[in-house]
Amino acid sequence: MAGPSSFGRYTHAIVRSVPDSLAAQPAGDGVEPVDLAKAHRQYGVYTGILRQKLGLQVIELAADEGLPRSVLVEDAAVIQADTALVTRPWEPARRGEVTRMKVLEELKMRVVEVTDDGATLDGSDVLFTGREFFVGISQWTNHRGAEAVADAFRDFAVSTVPVAGSSHLKSFCSMAGPDTIAIGSSEAAKKAMRTMEQLTDHHYDTLTVPDDPAGNCVYVRLGPKGSALLHRSPEEFPSSLPLFQKLADLTLIPAACSEVAKLGGALSSCSLLINKKLDR
């Protein structure tokens, strides 16, 4: 049986502003282009939630027009306690996002780099449960990338989970509490959940939501104030809201991210959360 949960209380969040070049990025088949004005509004609401409702110190990196997808900042690093593993994106065009994460060193974190040229790793494929890591083996992340996670975080078990299609692991699942996994209802999501259950020694409760994208939420401990769950807005996924409302002792905070979602992003994609007291 796994030991106590290592879910710390987050203190800081790293975000990156929306570049105008985001609007020129090709969306998925049949998906409307990114509405840049709407993307800016959603980003503003999101960062406002991090600051005002979650009480985090937000470190806002400037928009980088040469890296249009860099707003999906979660892909650039995997962070637990004082260790930050900078990743190695599958897309060569995105690797500049990693080299420009100098803020991690400025925050005096232990920064680990993926040194295997054959490895690919996106942070959106890495689910930390507070007890262990699950790494999605996907179009974006391979087994050698998962090995980099295991090398960087030796105090935790690291298991791999096959992910079909063009999704990341966290496209349809995330933590909705210290021992609760939110999971979508697609066959891909169900298969991934069965795999995680087979690989773990710990029992997790599951919250199954009808919409895969709603399975990506952000759980945050608020200390004496309790805990909060940042989830997709009911305007986007009304059928999933009643499921979240069944979670006890959580402050529910809705947020929309429809524009970055057109490029494969999710709520958790828009920030890197840090659970260590830092001097800055």
Side-chain angles (χ1 to χ4, degrees), residues 18-29:
V18 178
D20 291 345
S21 56
L22 189 73
Q25 289 294 290
D29 293 339

Side-chain angles (χ1 to χ4, degrees), residues 88 113-119 148:
R88 191 171 189 274
E113 297 182 1
V114 179
T115 57
D116 183 350
D117 289 342

Side-chain angles (χ1 to χ4, degrees), residues 87-98:
T87 61
R88 191 171 189 274
W90 173 77
E91 300 171 276
R94 295 195 66 188
R95 290 180 187 163
E97 298 171 22
V98 173

